[in-house]
Coordinates of all heavy atoms in Angstrom, one line a residue:
M1 N -26.5 -8.5 22.8 CA -25.5 -9.2 22.0 C -24.3 -8.3 21.7 O -24.5 -7.1 21.3 CB -26.1 -9.7 20.7 CG -25.1 -10.4 19.8 SD -25.8 -10.8 18.2 CE -26.9 -12.1 18.6
T2 N -23.2 -8.7 22.0 CA -22.0 -7.9 21.7 C -21.4 -8.3 20.4 O -21.5 -9.4 19.9 CB -20.9 -8.1 22.8 OG1 -20.5 -9.4 22.8 CG2 -21.4 -7.7 24.2
R3 N -20.8 -7.3 19.8 CA -20.1 -7.5 18.5 C -18.8 -8.3 18.7 O -18.0 -7.9 19.5 CB -19.9 -6.2 17.8 CG -19.4 -6.3 16.4 CD -19.2 -4.9 15.9 NE -17.9 -4.4 16.4 CZ -17.2 -3.4 15.9 NH1 -17.8 -2.6 15.0 NH2 -16.1 -3.0 16.4
P4 N -18.5 -9.3 17.9 CA -17.2 -10.0 18.0 C -16.1 -9.1 17.6 O -16.3 -8.3 16.7 CB -17.4 -11.3 17.1 CG -18.5 -10.9 16.2 CD -19.4 -9.9 16.9
E5 N -15.0 -9.3 18.2 CA -13.8 -8.5 17.9 C -13.3 -8.9 16.5 O -13.3 -10.1 16.1 CB -12.7 -8.7 18.9 CG -13.0 -8.1 20.2 CD -13.1 -6.6 20.2 OE1 -12.3 -5.9 19.5 OE2 -14.1 -6.0 20.7
F6 N -12.9 -8.0 15.7 CA -12.3 -8.2 14.4 C -10.9 -8.8 14.6 O -10.0 -8.2 15.2 CB -12.3 -6.9 13.6 CG -11.7 -7.1 12.2 CD1 -12.4 -7.8 11.3 CD2 -10.5 -6.5 11.9 CE1 -11.9 -7.9 10.0 CE2 -10.0 -6.6 10.7 CZ -10.7 -7.3 9.7
E7 N -10.7 -10.0 14.1 CA -9.4 -10.6 14.2 C -8.6 -10.2 13.0 O -8.9 -10.5 11.9 CB -9.6 -12.2 14.2 CG -10.3 -12.7 15.4 CD -9.5 -12.6 16.7 OE1 -8.2 -12.6 16.6 OE2 -10.1 -12.4 17.7
F8 N -7.5 -9.5 13.2 CA -6.7 -9.0 12.1 C -5.2 -9.3 12.2 O -4.4 -8.7 11.6 CB -6.9 -7.5 12.0 CG -6.3 -6.6 13.1 CD1 -5.0 -6.1 13.1 CD2 -7.1 -6.4 14.2 CE1 -4.5 -5.4 14.1 CE2 -6.6 -5.6 15.3 CZ -5.3 -5.1 15.2
A9 N -4.9 -10.4 13.0 CA -3.5 -10.8 13.1 C -2.9 -11.1 11.7 O -1.7 -10.8 11.5 CB -3.4 -12.0 14.0
Y10 N -3.7 -11.6 10.8 CA -3.2 -11.9 9.5 C -2.8 -10.7 8.7 O -2.1 -10.8 7.7 CB -4.1 -12.8 8.7 CG -5.5 -12.1 8.4 CD1 -5.7 -11.5 7.2 CD2 -6.5 -12.1 9.3 CE1 -6.9 -10.9 6.9 CE2 -7.7 -11.5 9.0 CZ -7.9 -10.9 7.8 OH -9.0 -10.3 7.5
L11 N -3.3 -9.5 9.1 CA -3.0 -8.3 8.4 C -1.7 -7.6 9.0 O -1.2 -6.6 8.4 CB -4.2 -7.3 8.5 CG -5.4 -7.7 7.7 CD1 -6.6 -6.8 8.1 CD2 -5.1 -7.7 6.3
Q12 N -1.2 -8.0 10.2 CA -0.1 -7.4 10.8 C 1.1 -7.3 9.9 O 1.8 -6.2 9.9 CB 0.2 -8.1 12.1 CG -0.8 -7.8 13.2 CD -1.0 -6.4 13.5 OE1 -0.3 -5.5 13.1 NE2 -2.0 -6.1 14.3
P13 N 1.5 -8.3 9.2 CA 2.7 -8.1 8.3 C 2.4 -7.0 7.2 O 3.3 -6.2 7.0 CB 2.8 -9.5 7.6 CG 2.2 -10.5 8.5 CD 1.0 -9.7 9.2
L14 N 1.2 -6.9 6.7 CA 0.9 -5.8 5.7 C 1.0 -4.5 6.4 O 1.6 -3.6 5.9 CB -0.5 -6.0 5.2 CG -1.0 -4.9 4.3 CD1 -0.2 -4.7 3.0 CD2 -2.5 -5.1 4.0
F15 N 0.4 -4.4 7.6 CA 0.4 -3.1 8.3 C 1.9 -2.7 8.7 O 2.2 -1.5 8.7 CB -0.4 -3.2 9.6 CG -1.9 -3.3 9.3 CD1 -2.8 -3.7 10.3 CD2 -2.4 -3.1 8.0 CE1 -4.2 -3.8 10.0 CE2 -3.8 -3.2 7.7 CZ -4.6 -3.5 8.7
A16 N 2.7 -3.7 9.0 CA 4.1 -3.4 9.3 C 4.8 -2.8 8.1 O 5.6 -1.9 8.2 CB 4.8 -4.6 9.9
D17 N 4.5 -3.4 6.9 CA 5.1 -2.9 5.7 C 4.6 -1.5 5.4 O 5.4 -0.6 5.0 CB 4.7 -3.8 4.5 CG 5.5 -5.1 4.5 OD1 6.5 -5.2 5.2 OD2 5.0 -6.0 3.8
V18 N 3.4 -1.2 5.6 CA 2.8 0.1 5.4 C 3.6 1.1 6.3 O 4.0 2.2 5.8 CB 1.3 0.2 5.7 CG1 0.8 1.6 5.8 CG2 0.6 -0.6 4.6
E19 N 3.7 0.8 7.6 CA 4.4 1.7 8.5 C 5.9 1.9 8.1 O 6.4 3.1 8.2 CB 4.3 1.2 9.9 CG 2.9 1.3 10.4 CD 2.6 0.6 11.7 OE1 3.6 0.1 12.3 OE2 1.4 0.6 12.1
R20 N 6.5 0.9 7.5 CA 7.9 1.1 7.0 C 7.9 2.0 5.8 O 8.9 2.7 5.6 CB 8.5 -0.2 6.7 CG 9.1 -1.0 7.9 CD 10.0 -2.1 7.5 NE 9.2 -3.2 6.8 CZ 8.6 -4.1 7.4 NH1 8.5 -4.2 8.7 NH2 7.9 -5.1 6.7
Q21 N 6.9 2.0 5.0 CA 6.8 2.8 3.7 C 6.5 4.2 4.0 O 6.8 5.1 3.2 CB 5.8 2.2 2.8 CG 6.2 0.9 2.1 CD 7.3 1.2 1.1 OE1 7.3 2.1 0.4 NE2 8.2 0.2 1.1
R22 N 5.9 4.5 5.1 CA 5.6 5.9 5.4 C 6.8 6.7 5.9 O 7.5 6.2 6.8 CB 4.5 6.0 6.5 CG 3.1 5.5 6.0 CD 2.1 5.7 7.1 NE 2.0 7.1 7.5 CZ 1.3 8.0 6.8 NH1 0.7 7.7 5.7 NH2 1.2 9.2 7.3
G23 N 7.0 7.8 5.3 CA 8.0 8.7 5.8 C 7.3 9.7 6.8 O 6.3 9.4 7.4
E24 N 7.9 10.9 6.9 CA 7.2 11.9 7.7 C 6.1 12.5 7.0 O 6.3 13.5 6.3 CB 8.3 12.9 8.2 CG 9.3 12.3 9.2 CD 10.2 13.3 9.7 OE1 9.8 14.5 9.8 OE2 11.3 12.9 10.1
G25 N 4.9 12.0 7.1 CA 3.7 12.5 6.5 C 3.6 12.1 5.0 O 2.7 12.6 4.3
A26 N 4.5 11.3 4.5 CA 4.4 10.9 3.1 C 4.9 9.5 2.9 O 5.6 9.0 3.8 CB 5.2 11.9 2.2
Y27 N 4.7 8.9 1.8 CA 5.2 7.6 1.5 C 6.6 7.7 0.9 O 6.8 8.6 0.1 CB 4.2 6.8 0.6 CG 2.8 6.7 1.2 CD1 1.8 7.3 0.6 CD2 2.6 5.9 2.3 CE1 0.5 7.2 1.2 CE2 1.4 5.8 2.9 CZ 0.3 6.5 2.3 OH -0.9 6.4 2.9
R28 N 7.4 6.7 1.2 CA 8.8 6.7 0.6 C 8.7 6.4 -0.9 O 7.9 5.7 -1.3 CB 9.6 5.7 1.3 CG 9.8 6.0 2.8 CD 10.6 4.8 3.5 NE 10.4 4.9 4.9 CZ 11.1 5.6 5.7 NH1 12.0 6.4 5.2 NH2 10.9 5.6 7.0
Q29 N 9.7 7.0 -1.6 CA 9.7 6.7 -3.0 C 10.4 5.4 -3.3 O 11.2 4.9 -2.5 CB 10.6 7.8 -3.7 CG 10.0 9.2 -3.6 CD 8.7 9.3 -4.3 OE1 8.6 8.8 -5.5 NE2 7.7 9.9 -3.7
M30 N 9.9 4.8 -4.4 CA 10.5 3.5 -4.8 C 11.9 3.7 -5.3 O 12.2 4.8 -5.9 CB 9.7 2.9 -6.0 CG 8.3 2.5 -5.6 SD 8.3 1.1 -4.5 CE 8.9 -0.2 -5.6
P31 N 12.8 2.8 -5.1 CA 14.2 2.9 -5.6 C 14.2 2.8 -7.1 O 13.3 2.3 -7.8 CB 14.9 1.8 -5.0 CG 13.9 0.7 -4.7 CD 12.6 1.5 -4.4
A32 N 15.3 3.3 -7.8 CA 15.4 3.2 -9.2 C 15.6 1.8 -9.6 O 16.1 1.0 -8.8 CB 16.6 4.0 -9.6
P33 N 15.2 1.4 -10.8 CA 15.4 0.0 -11.2 C 16.9 -0.3 -11.3 O 17.7 0.5 -11.6 CB 14.7 -0.1 -12.6 CG 14.7 1.3 -13.1 CD 14.6 2.2 -11.9
Q34 N 17.2 -1.6 -11.2 CA 18.6 -2.0 -11.3 C 19.1 -1.8 -12.7 O 18.3 -2.0 -13.7 CB 18.8 -3.5 -11.0 CG 18.5 -3.8 -9.5 CD 18.7 -5.3 -9.2 OE1 19.0 -6.1 -10.1 NE2 18.6 -5.6 -7.9
S35 N 20.3 -1.3 -12.9 CA 20.8 -0.9 -14.2 C 20.8 -2.1 -15.2 O 20.7 -1.9 -16.4 CB 22.2 -0.4 -14.1 OG 23.1 -1.4 -13.5
S36 N 20.8 -3.3 -14.7 CA 20.8 -4.5 -15.7 C 19.4 -4.9 -16.0 O 19.2 -5.9 -16.8 CB 21.6 -5.6 -15.0 OG 21.0 -6.0 -13.8
S37 N 18.4 -4.3 -15.5 CA 17.0 -4.7 -15.7 C 16.4 -4.2 -17.0 O 16.9 -3.2 -17.6 CB 16.1 -4.3 -14.5 OG 15.9 -2.9 -14.6
S38 N 15.4 -4.9 -17.5 CA 14.8 -4.5 -18.7 C 14.0 -3.1 -18.5 O 13.9 -2.3 -19.4 CB 13.8 -5.5 -19.2 OG 12.7 -5.7 -18.3
L39 N 13.6 -2.9 -17.3 CA 12.9 -1.6 -17.0 C 13.9 -0.4 -17.1 O 13.6 0.6 -17.7 CB 12.3 -1.6 -15.6 CG 11.4 -0.5 -15.2 CD1 10.3 -0.2 -16.3 CD2 10.8 -0.7 -13.9
A40 N 15.2 -0.6 -16.7 CA 16.2 0.4 -16.8 C 16.5 0.6 -18.3 O 16.7 1.8 -18.7 CB 17.4 0.0 -16.1
T41 N 16.5 -0.4 -19.1 CA 16.7 -0.3 -20.5 C 15.6 0.5 -21.2 O 15.8 1.4 -22.0 CB 16.8 -1.7 -21.2 OG1 17.9 -2.4 -20.6 CG2 17.1 -1.6 -22.7
D42 N 14.4 0.2 -20.8 CA 13.2 1.0 -21.3 C 13.3 2.5 -20.9 O 12.9 3.4 -21.6 CB 11.9 0.4 -20.7 CG 11.6 -0.9 -21.3 OD1 12.2 -1.3 -22.3 OD2 10.7 -1.6 -20.7
D43 N 13.8 2.7 -19.7 CA 13.9 4.1 -19.2 C 15.0 4.9 -19.9 O 14.9 6.1 -19.9 CB 14.2 4.1 -17.7 CG 13.0 3.8 -16.8 OD1 11.9 3.8 -17.4 OD2 13.2 3.7 -15.6
A44 N 16.1 4.3 -20.3 CA 17.3 5.0 -20.8 C 17.0 6.1 -21.8 O 17.5 7.2 -21.6 CB 18.3 4.0 -21.4
P45 N 16.2 5.9 -22.8 CA 16.0 7.0 -23.8 C 15.0 8.1 -23.3 O 14.9 9.1 -23.9 CB 15.4 6.3 -25.0 CG 14.8 5.0 -24.5 CD 15.6 4.6 -23.3
L46 N 14.4 7.8 -22.2 CA 13.3 8.8 -21.7 C 13.9 9.8 -20.7 O 13.1 10.8 -20.4 CB 12.2 8.0 -21.0 CG 11.5 7.0 -21.9 CD1 10.5 6.1 -21.1 CD2 10.8 7.7 -23.1
G47 N 15.1 9.6 -20.2 CA 15.7 10.6 -19.3 C 14.9 10.8 -18.1 O 14.5 9.9 -17.4
M48 N 14.6 12.1 -17.8 CA 13.9 12.4 -16.6 C 12.4 12.0 -16.6 O 11.7 12.1 -15.6 CB 14.0 13.9 -16.2 CG 13.4 14.8 -17.2 SD 13.7 16.6 -16.8 CE 12.2 17.0 -16.0
Y49 N 11.9 11.6 -17.8 CA 10.5 11.2 -17.9 C 10.4 9.7 -17.9 O 9.5 9.1 -18.6 CB 9.9 11.8 -19.2 CG 10.0 13.3 -19.2 CD1 10.9 13.9 -20.0 CD2 9.1 14.0 -18.5 CE1 11.0 15.3 -20.0 CE2 9.2 15.4 -18.5 CZ 10.1 16.0 -19.2 OH 10.2 17.4 -19.3
S50 N 11.2 9.0 -17.1 CA 11.2 7.6 -17.1 C 9.9 7.0 -16.7 O 9.2 7.4 -15.8 CB 12.3 7.1 -16.2 OG 12.1 7.5 -14.9
A51 N 9.6 5.9 -17.4 CA 8.3 5.2 -17.1 C 8.4 4.5 -15.7 O 7.3 4.5 -15.1 CB 8.1 4.1 -18.2
S52 N 9.5 4.0 -15.3 CA 9.6 3.3 -14.0 C 9.3 4.2 -12.9 O 8.6 3.9 -12.0 CB 10.9 2.7 -13.9 OG 11.9 3.7 -13.7
T53 N 9.7 5.4 -13.0 CA 9.5 6.4 -11.9 C 8.0 6.8 -11.9 O 7.4 6.8 -10.8 CB 10.3 7.7 -12.1 OG1 11.7 7.3 -12.1 CG2 10.1 8.6 -11.0
R54 N 7.5 7.1 -13.0 CA 6.1 7.5 -13.0 C 5.1 6.4 -12.7 O 4.3 6.5 -11.8 CB 5.7 8.1 -14.4 CG 6.6 9.2 -14.9 CD 6.3 10.5 -14.0 NE 7.2 11.5 -14.4 CZ 8.2 12.0 -13.7 NH1 8.5 11.4 -12.5 NH2 9.0 12.9 -14.1
S55 N 5.2 5.3 -13.4 CA 4.2 4.2 -13.1 C 4.5 3.5 -11.8 O 3.6 3.2 -11.1 CB 4.2 3.2 -14.3 OG 5.5 2.6 -14.4
G56 N 5.8 3.2 -11.5 CA 6.1 2.5 -10.3 C 5.8 3.3 -9.1 O 5.2 2.8 -8.1
T57 N 6.1 4.6 -9.1 CA 5.8 5.4 -7.9 C 4.3 5.6 -7.7 O 3.8 5.5 -6.6 CB 6.5 6.8 -8.1 OG1 7.9 6.6 -8.2 CG2 6.2 7.7 -6.9
N58 N 3.6 5.8 -8.8 CA 2.1 6.0 -8.7 C 1.4 4.7 -8.2 O 0.6 4.8 -7.3 CB 1.6 6.5 -10.0 CG 1.9 7.9 -10.3 OD1 2.3 8.7 -9.5 ND2 1.9 8.3 -11.6
S59 N 1.8 3.6 -8.8 CA 1.1 2.4 -8.4 C 1.5 2.0 -7.0 O 0.6 1.5 -6.2 CB 1.3 1.2 -9.4 OG 2.7 0.9 -9.4
D60 N 2.7 2.1 -6.6 CA 3.2 1.8 -5.3 C 2.5 2.7 -4.3 O 2.0 2.2 -3.3 CB 4.7 1.9 -5.2 CG 5.2 1.5 -3.8 OD1 5.0 0.3 -3.4 OD2 5.7 2.4 -3.1
S61 N 2.5 4.0 -4.5 CA 1.8 4.9 -3.6 C 0.4 4.6 -3.4 O -0.2 4.7 -2.3 CB 2.0 6.4 -4.1 OG 3.4 6.7 -4.0
A62 N -0.3 4.3 -4.5 CA -1.7 4.0 -4.5 C -2.0 2.7 -3.6 O -2.9 2.6 -2.8 CB -2.3 3.8 -5.9
G63 N -1.2 1.7 -3.9 CA -1.3 0.4 -3.1 C -1.1 0.6 -1.6 O -1.8 0.2 -0.8
V64 N 0.0 1.4 -1.3 CA 0.3 1.6 0.1 C -0.8 2.5 0.7 O -1.2 2.3 1.9 CB 1.7 2.3 0.3 CG1 2.0 2.7 1.7 CG2 2.8 1.3 -0.2
A65 N -1.3 3.5 0.0 CA -2.3 4.4 0.5 C -3.6 3.6 0.9 O -4.2 3.8 1.9 CB -2.6 5.5 -0.4
H66 N -4.0 2.7 0.0 CA -5.2 1.8 0.2 C -4.9 0.9 1.5 O -5.8 0.8 2.3 CB -5.5 1.0 -1.0 CG -6.3 1.7 -2.0 ND1 -5.7 2.5 -2.9 CD2 -7.6 1.8 -2.3 CE1 -6.6 3.0 -3.7 NE2 -7.8 2.6 -3.3
A67 N -3.8 0.3 1.6 CA -3.5 -0.5 2.7 C -3.5 0.3 4.0 O -3.9 -0.1 5.1 CB -2.2 -1.3 2.5
D68 N -2.9 1.5 3.9 CA -2.9 2.4 5.1 C -4.3 2.9 5.4 O -4.7 3.0 6.6 CB -2.0 3.7 4.7 CG -1.7 4.4 6.0 OD1 -1.7 3.9 7.1 OD2 -1.4 5.6 5.8
A69 N -5.2 3.1 4.4 CA -6.6 3.4 4.7 C -7.3 2.3 5.4 O -8.3 2.5 6.1 CB -7.3 3.8 3.4
L70 N -6.9 1.1 5.2 CA -7.4 -0.1 5.9 C -6.8 -0.2 7.3 O -7.6 -0.4 8.3 CB -7.1 -1.4 5.2 CG -7.5 -2.7 5.9 CD1 -9.0 -2.7 6.1 CD2 -7.1 -3.9 5.0
R71 N -5.6 0.1 7.5 CA -4.9 0.0 8.8 C -5.5 0.9 9.8 O -5.7 0.5 11.0 CB -3.4 0.4 8.6 CG -2.5 0.3 9.8 CD -1.1 0.7 9.5 NE -1.0 2.1 9.2 CZ -0.9 3.1 10.0 NH1 -0.9 2.9 11.3 NH2 -0.8 4.4 9.6
R72 N -5.8 2.1 9.4 CA -6.3 3.1 10.4 C -7.6 2.7 11.1 O -7.6 2.7 12.3 CB -6.4 4.5 9.7 CG -5.1 5.0 9.3 CD -5.3 6.2 8.4 NE -4.0 6.6 7.8 CZ -3.4 7.8 8.1 NH1 -3.9 8.6 8.9 NH2 -2.2 8.0 7.5
P73 N -8.7 2.3 10.4 CA -9.9 1.9 11.1 C -9.7 0.6 11.8 O -10.3 0.4 12.9 CB -11.0 1.8 10.0 CG -10.2 1.7 8.7 CD -8.9 2.4 8.9
V74 N -8.9 -0.3 11.3 CA -8.6 -1.5 12.0 C -8.0 -1.3 13.4 O -8.5 -1.8 14.4 CB -7.8 -2.5 11.2 CG1 -7.3 -3.7 12.0 CG2 -8.6 -3.0 10.0
H75 N -7.0 -0.4 13.4 CA -6.3 -0.1 14.7 C -7.3 0.7 15.6 O -7.2 0.6 16.8 CB -5.1 0.7 14.4 CG -3.9 -0.2 14.0 ND1 -2.6 0.2 14.0 CD2 -3.9 -1.5 13.6 CE1 -1.8 -0.8 13.6 NE2 -2.6 -1.8 13.4
A76 N -8.2 1.5 15.0 CA -9.1 2.2 15.9 C -10.3 1.3 16.3 O -11.1 1.8 17.1 CB -9.7 3.4 15.1
G77 N -10.4 0.1 15.8 CA -11.5 -0.8 16.1 C -12.8 -0.3 15.5 O -13.9 -0.7 16.0
E78 N -12.8 0.3 14.4 CA -14.0 0.8 13.7 C -14.1 0.3 12.3 O -14.1 1.1 11.3 CB -14.0 2.4 13.7 CG -13.9 3.0 15.1 CD -13.7 4.5 15.1 OE1 -13.6 5.0 14.0 OE2 -13.8 5.0 16.2
V79 N -14.1 -1.0 12.1 CA -14.1 -1.6 10.8 C -15.6 -1.8 10.3 O -16.3 -2.6 11.0 CB -13.3 -2.9 10.8 CG1 -13.3 -3.5 9.4 CG2 -11.9 -2.7 11.3
A80 N -15.9 -1.2 9.2 CA -17.2 -1.5 8.6 C -17.2 -2.8 7.9 O -16.1 -3.2 7.4 CB -17.6 -0.3 7.7
P81 N -18.3 -3.5 7.7 CA -18.2 -4.8 7.1 C -17.7 -4.8 5.6 O -17.1 -5.7 5.2 CB -19.7 -5.3 7.1 CG -20.3 -4.5 8.2 CD -19.6 -3.2 8.3
Q82 N -18.0 -3.7 4.9 CA -17.6 -3.7 3.5 C -16.2 -3.1 3.2 O -15.6 -3.5 2.2 CB -18.7 -2.9 2.7 CG -20.0 -3.5 2.7 CD -20.8 -3.2 3.9 OE1 -20.4 -2.4 4.7 NE2 -22.0 -3.8 4.0
S83 N -15.8 -2.2 4.0 CA -14.6 -1.4 3.6 C -13.3 -2.2 3.6 O -12.5 -2.0 2.7 CB -14.4 -0.2 4.6 OG -14.2 -0.7 5.9
P84 N -13.1 -3.2 4.4 CA -11.8 -4.0 4.2 C -11.7 -4.6 2.8 O -10.6 -4.5 2.3 CB -11.9 -5.1 5.3 CG -12.8 -4.5 6.3 CD -13.8 -3.7 5.6
W85 N -12.7 -5.1 2.3 CA -12.6 -5.8 1.0 C -12.4 -4.8 -0.1 O -11.6 -5.0 -1.0 CB -13.9 -6.6 0.7 CG -14.2 -7.5 1.9 CD1 -15.2 -7.4 2.8 CD2 -13.3 -8.5 2.4 NE1 -15.1 -8.4 3.7 CE2 -13.9 -9.1 3.6 CE3 -12.1 -9.1 2.0 CZ2 -13.4 -10.1 4.3 CZ3 -11.6 -10.1 2.7 CH2 -12.2 -10.6 3.9
T86 N -13.1 -3.6 0.0 CA -12.9 -2.6 -1.1 C -11.5 -2.0 -1.0 O -10.9 -1.8 -2.0 CB -13.9 -1.5 -0.8 OG1 -15.2 -2.0 -0.8 CG2 -13.8 -0.4 -1.9
L87 N -11.0 -1.8 0.2 CA -9.6 -1.2 0.3 C -8.6 -2.2 -0.1 O -7.6 -1.9 -0.8 CB -9.4 -0.8 1.8 CG -10.2 0.5 2.1 CD1 -10.2 0.7 3.6 CD2 -9.8 1.7 1.4
M88 N -8.8 -3.5 0.2 CA -7.8 -4.5 -0.2 C -7.8 -4.7 -1.7 O -6.8 -4.9 -2.3 CB -8.1 -5.9 0.5 CG -7.7 -5.9 2.0 SD -6.0 -5.4 2.3 CE -5.1 -6.6 1.4
R89 N -9.0 -4.6 -2.3 CA -9.1 -4.7 -3.8 C -8.3 -3.5 -4.4 O -7.6 -3.7 -5.4 CB -10.5 -4.7 -4.3 CG -10.7 -4.9 -5.8 CD -12.1 -4.9 -6.2 NE -12.8 -3.7 -5.9 CZ -14.0 -3.7 -5.3 NH1 -14.6 -4.7 -4.9 NH2 -14.5 -2.5 -5.0
G90 N -8.5 -2.3 -3.8 CA -7.7 -1.2 -4.3 C -6.2 -1.3 -4.2 O -5.5 -1.0 -5.1
A91 N -5.8 -1.9 -3.0 CA -4.4 -2.1 -2.8 C -3.8 -3.1 -3.8 O -2.8 -2.9 -4.4 CB -4.1 -2.6 -1.4
L92 N -4.5 -4.2 -4.0 CA -4.1 -5.3 -4.9 C -4.1 -4.8 -6.4 O -3.2 -5.1 -7.1 CB -4.9 -6.5 -4.7 CG -4.7 -7.3 -3.4 CD1 -5.8 -8.3 -3.3 CD2 -3.3 -7.8 -3.3
S93 N -5.1 -4.1 -6.8 CA -5.2 -3.6 -8.2 C -4.1 -2.6 -8.5 O -3.7 -2.5 -9.7 CB -6.5 -3.1 -8.5 OG -6.7 -1.8 -7.8
A94 N -3.5 -1.9 -7.5 CA -2.4 -1.0 -7.8 C -1.2 -1.8 -8.1 O -0.3 -1.2 -8.8 CB -2.2 -0.1 -6.6
Y95 N -1.0 -3.0 -7.7 CA 0.2 -3.8 -7.9 C 0.0 -4.7 -9.1 O 1.0 -5.4 -9.4 CB 0.6 -4.6 -6.7 CG 1.1 -3.7 -5.6 CD1 0.3 -3.4 -4.5 CD2 2.3 -3.1 -5.7 CE1 0.8 -2.6 -3.5 CE2 2.8 -2.2 -4.7 CZ 2.0 -2.0 -3.6 OH 2.4 -1.2 -2.6
T96 N -1.1 -4.9 -9.7 CA -1.3 -5.8 -10.8 C -1.4 -5.1 -12.2 O -1.5 -4.0 -12.3 CB -2.5 -6.7 -10.6 OG1 -3.6 -5.9 -10.5 CG2 -2.3 -7.6 -9.4

């Protein structure tokens, strides 16, 4: 009995986003919030210790890293039955 191929066409848009987020060996930084946003207003008194940079960058990097950790075994054809769900949960929880 042969193992059926893992169908991952529905993941291609996510993987394309991950590849766009990757720089040379690192993930790209999130842009600063728009000056008219409430997040920019929250950041104003904090100076270089802005909450948007710390929380936004950390959660974005964690989400992209989890999605990238899923992308690699999928492209290699070595997907374990449990890992896709764990990695997707990690990616989603970083953004919520």
